[in-house]
Every structure is written in structure tokens, then in C-alpha cells.
Amino acid sequence: MHAIPESSVGAADVAAEDVDAEDGAAENNYDNFAEGYTAETETNLINGYYARPAIVDLAGDVTGRRVLDAGCGSGPIFAALRDRGAIVTGFDSSAKMVALARRRLGDDAALQVADIGSPLPFSDGAFDDVVASLVLHYLQDWTAPLAELRRVLKPGGRLIVSVNHPFVFKWRYRDADYFATVKHSEEYTFDGQRAVLTYWHRPLHAMTDAFTSAGFRTAVISEPPPASGARELFPDALGQASSGAFLSFLFFVLEAV
């Protein structure tokens, strides 16, 4: 699922607040706010002009490649990769998000409800690439999910990942232990719909160790600037830095070995 981060250094389109995840809103239940989330993030800075274009840029030329969009949400990355010639399959744990994706992509789109934390309904080596954009940071343990993503990739295939940048957690929670794996929850309002999202922070070395243990080689670690046109559309959020860059997410390209 494609989450807005709990905080951003230098830019944030949707304000987040510390929240007790048991205060009345079910955490990470995208079925409850799928429409609001989709409307809020379609063309905003963090998602529309940063997270999604960065993933698509890292994917590069996908013409004819079989791509799995893991945690596809309402389908914007699926649509972008399909427009670039990929043969795309998508899944999400939220039935409502999958319904919105089908509305966007058409009845013939290869979409289904599935959970990245469970065995996936795909054969071994079925895909050339897997995209997991803003998904893994919801999970305490990456072992089984990464093993499944490795299983469905052909040897030499790519896993393209984005997660909350670990520096942002430490910047927001100054007294927290950066080196611990820490659960934290944040409250958002997406187009009037209240949501509680719960994340698991982990330090950078824990991420790369998990990738290596699952059978991946890290080819790229990226901290990209926002997409072209962002500065003109979001001058206040991007500030005066000449690059217009900010920290929010961390991006990886991993190769199945």
C-alpha cells in the first residue's frame, strides 16, 4: 500500500500526528479510507511528484517485461508501467483498493486481493520485476515477505522497493533508538477520512541485511529529488534549496541472485 510518510524533512503535504493506534480507528485498514487516500495522493507532492515517479524512473525500460505490483493500491504505478509497455499484475490486501484499481485500469486488468505477509498466488519465477512501493515499512518481520517476492522473481529479476527513510524517524523522534526496530503509529486525514497508519522503523543496515539474507544483491540505493515540475507546483513545501530535494523515502533496486 502506498502510504504518505509519517513526516518529511522540508516537505509534507498531509500533516501527521502521534497517535495511539487503539483510540478508535483501525490501524492500516485501507478499506476504511481508500477513496480519500486515492483522492488525496493522486497529484500531491509526496506521492504524485515524488514516490511514484521515482519508482517508475528506477524501473526504466519495462517494455515486454512481466511486472508484479505488490501492494498496488488504487493502481497508479500499475497504470504507469503498463503505459510503458510492461505486462503488469497487481495485488493488494485491501479489497476496496483493488476495486478502485479495477475502476482505473479496466475489467481486464490482472488484479487480485492478496496479502504480502502470506504465500502469494503466483508461480515460481513468474515475473521479471517486482515493485513494492511503500509496503515493507508496515511489516515487523521482512523474512517471509521477501522470501515470497524472491520466489516469484526469475533469477536475475529485480525487486524495486521504497520505504520510509530511516533518518526521518530519528529526526521526528529525537530520543528514539535509531538502531532498534520500533513500532509507531500516526494519524492522518485523507480527503476528510480519518486514518491510523502503523509503521515499523528499522535502520538502514537492517534493511540491507534482510535483502541479502533473502537472496538479493543491492544494485541501487537512491534518495532522488522530486519529479520535474514539482518546484513550480509546490514552491512553499520545497523551500529555497537549489536542488529542491528533501528526505522522505528511501529507494532500492535489488537483483535476485
Side-chain angles (χ1 to χ4, degrees), residues 180-197:
T181 299
V182 179
K183 182 181 181 181
H184 58 110
S185 296
E186 313 287 345
E187 182 178 338
Y188 304 86
T189 300
F190 299 122
D191 200 36
Q193 293 181 315
R194 181 169 176 258
V196 174
L197 298 182

mmCIF file of all heavy atoms in Angstrom, residues 180-197:
data_model
loop_
_atom_site.group_PDB
_atom_site.id
_atom_site.type_symbol
_atom_site.label_atom_id
_atom_site.label_comp_id
_atom_site.label_asym_id
_atom_site.label_seq_id
_atom_site.Cartn_x
_atom_site.Cartn_y
_atom_site.Cartn_z
ATOM 1 N N ALA A 180 17.178 0.382 16.740
ATOM 2 C CA ALA A 180 16.161 -0.595 17.122
ATOM 3 C C ALA A 180 15.093 -0.697 16.041
ATOM 4 O O ALA A 180 14.888 0.231 15.250
ATOM 5 C CB ALA A 180 15.524 -0.188 18.446
ATOM 6 N N THR A 181 14.405 -1.826 16.008
ATOM 7 C CA THR A 181 13.212 -1.970 15.174
ATOM 8 C C THR A 181 12.031 -1.546 16.037
ATOM 9 O O THR A 181 11.729 -2.186 17.044
ATOM 10 C CB THR A 181 13.040 -3.421 14.694
ATOM 11 O OG1 THR A 181 14.176 -3.773 13.906
ATOM 12 C CG2 THR A 181 11.782 -3.573 13.854
ATOM 13 N N VAL A 182 11.388 -0.440 15.654
ATOM 14 C CA VAL A 182 10.441 0.251 16.538
ATOM 15 C C VAL A 182 9.103 0.430 15.825
ATOM 16 O O VAL A 182 9.054 0.905 14.689
ATOM 17 C CB VAL A 182 10.989 1.631 16.951
ATOM 18 C CG1 VAL A 182 9.993 2.371 17.839
ATOM 19 C CG2 VAL A 182 12.329 1.482 17.648
ATOM 20 N N LYS A 183 8.027 0.105 16.530
ATOM 21 C CA LYS A 183 6.667 0.304 16.030
ATOM 22 C C LYS A 183 6.181 1.696 16.427
ATOM 23 O O LYS A 183 6.365 2.129 17.561
ATOM 24 C CB LYS A 183 5.737 -0.756 16.619
ATOM 25 C CG LYS A 183 4.295 -0.692 16.136
ATOM 26 C CD LYS A 183 3.476 -1.786 16.808
ATOM 27 C CE LYS A 183 2.037 -1.787 16.334
ATOM 28 N NZ LYS A 183 1.220 -2.835 17.006
ATOM 29 N N HIS A 184 5.560 2.387 15.479
ATOM 30 C CA HIS A 184 4.986 3.698 15.799
ATOM 31 C C HIS A 184 3.791 3.945 14.888
ATOM 32 O O HIS A 184 3.730 3.463 13.754
ATOM 33 C CB HIS A 184 6.019 4.810 15.658
ATOM 34 C CG HIS A 184 6.627 4.917 14.300
ATOM 35 N ND1 HIS A 184 6.369 5.955 13.442
ATOM 36 C CD2 HIS A 184 7.496 4.118 13.645
ATOM 37 C CE1 HIS A 184 7.050 5.793 12.318
ATOM 38 N NE2 HIS A 184 7.740 4.678 12.414
ATOM 39 N N SER A 185 2.817 4.692 15.407
ATOM 40 C CA SER A 185 1.580 4.961 14.682
ATOM 41 C C SER A 185 1.386 6.457 14.493
ATOM 42 O O SER A 185 1.810 7.261 15.333
ATOM 43 C CB SER A 185 0.376 4.389 15.440
ATOM 44 O OG SER A 185 0.448 2.975 15.517
ATOM 45 N N GLU A 186 0.730 6.809 13.395
ATOM 46 C CA GLU A 186 0.457 8.202 13.061
ATOM 47 C C GLU A 186 -0.986 8.323 12.579
ATOM 48 O O GLU A 186 -1.541 7.382 12.001
ATOM 49 C CB GLU A 186 1.383 8.695 11.939
ATOM 50 C CG GLU A 186 2.854 8.354 12.115
ATOM 51 C CD GLU A 186 3.547 9.160 13.186
ATOM 52 O OE1 GLU A 186 2.969 10.186 13.603
ATOM 53 O OE2 GLU A 186 4.659 8.776 13.594
ATOM 54 N N GLU A 187 -1.570 9.478 12.826
ATOM 55 C CA GLU A 187 -2.934 9.743 12.378
ATOM 56 C C GLU A 187 -2.920 10.718 11.207
ATOM 57 O O GLU A 187 -2.142 11.673 11.181
ATOM 58 C CB GLU A 187 -3.765 10.336 13.521
ATOM 59 C CG GLU A 187 -5.214 10.601 13.127
ATOM 60 C CD GLU A 187 -6.048 11.133 14.283
ATOM 61 O OE1 GLU A 187 -5.651 10.906 15.444
ATOM 62 O OE2 GLU A 187 -7.085 11.773 14.020
ATOM 63 N N TYR A 188 -3.760 10.459 10.213
ATOM 64 C CA TYR A 188 -3.885 11.303 9.029
ATOM 65 C C TYR A 188 -5.357 11.573 8.751
ATOM 66 O O TYR A 188 -6.234 10.840 9.228
ATOM 67 C CB TYR A 188 -3.307 10.614 7.784
ATOM 68 C CG TYR A 188 -1.877 10.175 7.909
ATOM 69 C CD1 TYR A 188 -1.551 8.927 8.460
ATOM 70 C CD2 TYR A 188 -0.838 10.980 7.467
ATOM 71 C CE1 TYR A 188 -0.236 8.524 8.567
ATOM 72 C CE2 TYR A 188 0.485 10.575 7.565
ATOM 73 C CZ TYR A 188 0.778 9.346 8.118
ATOM 74 O OH TYR A 188 2.079 8.938 8.225
ATOM 75 N N THR A 189 -5.598 12.567 7.937
ATOM 76 C CA THR A 189 -6.917 12.774 7.355
ATOM 77 C C THR A 189 -6.743 12.847 5.852
ATOM 78 O O THR A 189 -6.028 13.708 5.337
ATOM 79 C CB THR A 189 -7.577 14.053 7.876
ATOM 80 O OG1 THR A 189 -7.715 13.963 9.294
ATOM 81 C CG2 THR A 189 -8.959 14.246 7.243
ATOM 82 N N PHE A 190 -7.354 11.912 5.135
ATOM 83 C CA PHE A 190 -7.278 11.834 3.681
ATOM 84 C C PHE A 190 -8.609 12.272 3.089
ATOM 85 O O PHE A 190 -9.597 11.536 3.156
ATOM 86 C CB PHE A 190 -6.958 10.408 3.228
ATOM 87 C CG PHE A 190 -5.647 9.877 3.724
ATOM 88 C CD1 PHE A 190 -5.595 8.713 4.474
ATOM 89 C CD2 PHE A 190 -4.460 10.535 3.441
ATOM 90 C CE1 PHE A 190 -4.390 8.207 4.920
ATOM 91 C CE2 PHE A 190 -3.244 10.041 3.893
ATOM 92 C CZ PHE A 190 -3.208 8.875 4.630
ATOM 93 N N ASP A 191 -8.635 13.480 2.549
ATOM 94 C CA ASP A 191 -9.849 13.990 1.923
ATOM 95 C C ASP A 191 -11.055 13.827 2.852
ATOM 96 O O ASP A 191 -12.138 13.412 2.448
ATOM 97 C CB ASP A 191 -10.097 13.270 0.594
ATOM 98 C CG ASP A 191 -11.031 14.041 -0.321
ATOM 99 O OD1 ASP A 191 -10.969 15.282 -0.321
ATOM 100 O OD2 ASP A 191 -11.839 13.397 -1.030
ATOM 101 N N GLY A 192 -10.840 14.133 4.135
ATOM 102 C CA GLY A 192 -11.908 14.075 5.126
ATOM 103 C C GLY A 192 -12.074 12.740 5.822
ATOM 104 O O GLY A 192 -12.857 12.639 6.776
ATOM 105 N N GLN A 193 -11.338 11.702 5.380
ATOM 106 C CA GLN A 193 -11.454 10.379 6.002
ATOM 107 C C GLN A 193 -10.281 10.158 6.963
ATOM 108 O O GLN A 193 -9.127 10.258 6.577
ATOM 109 C CB GLN A 193 -11.469 9.284 4.935
ATOM 110 C CG GLN A 193 -12.703 9.314 4.051
ATOM 111 C CD GLN A 193 -12.708 8.202 3.025
ATOM 112 O OE1 GLN A 193 -11.703 7.934 2.381
ATOM 113 N NE2 GLN A 193 -13.842 7.535 2.871
ATOM 114 N N ARG A 194 -10.593 9.857 8.215
ATOM 115 C CA ARG A 194 -9.565 9.664 9.233
ATOM 116 C C ARG A 194 -8.904 8.305 9.071
ATOM 117 O O ARG A 194 -9.549 7.309 8.759
ATOM 118 C CB ARG A 194 -10.183 9.771 10.622
ATOM 119 C CG ARG A 194 -9.193 9.600 11.762
ATOM 120 C CD ARG A 194 -9.812 9.984 13.083
ATOM 121 N NE ARG A 194 -8.889 9.720 14.186
ATOM 122 C CZ ARG A 194 -8.986 8.682 14.982
ATOM 123 N NH1 ARG A 194 -9.971 7.805 14.833
ATOM 124 N NH2 ARG A 194 -8.125 8.507 15.962
ATOM 125 N N ALA A 195 -7.593 8.272 9.306
ATOM 126 C CA ALA A 195 -6.841 7.027 9.165
ATOM 127 C C ALA A 195 -5.745 6.967 10.211
ATOM 128 O O ALA A 195 -5.178 7.987 10.602
ATOM 129 C CB ALA A 195 -6.224 6.947 7.774
ATOM 130 N N VAL A 196 -5.451 5.757 10.671
ATOM 131 C CA VAL A 196 -4.292 5.493 11.522
ATOM 132 C C VAL A 196 -3.399 4.507 10.781
ATOM 133 O O VAL A 196 -3.838 3.433 10.391
ATOM 134 C CB VAL A 196 -4.703 4.913 12.890
ATOM 135 C CG1 VAL A 196 -3.459 4.513 13.689
ATOM 136 C CG2 VAL A 196 -5.534 5.926 13.672
ATOM 137 N N LEU A 197 -2.155 4.914 10.562
ATOM 138 C CA LEU A 197 -1.177 4.043 9.917
ATOM 139 C C LEU A 197 -0.085 3.698 10.916
ATOM 140 O O LEU A 197 0.429 4.566 11.618
ATOM 141 C CB LEU A 197 -0.572 4.732 8.689
ATOM 142 C CG LEU A 197 -1.564 5.083 7.581
ATOM 143 C CD1 LEU A 197 -0.837 5.720 6.400
ATOM 144 C CD2 LEU A 197 -2.345 3.864 7.122
#
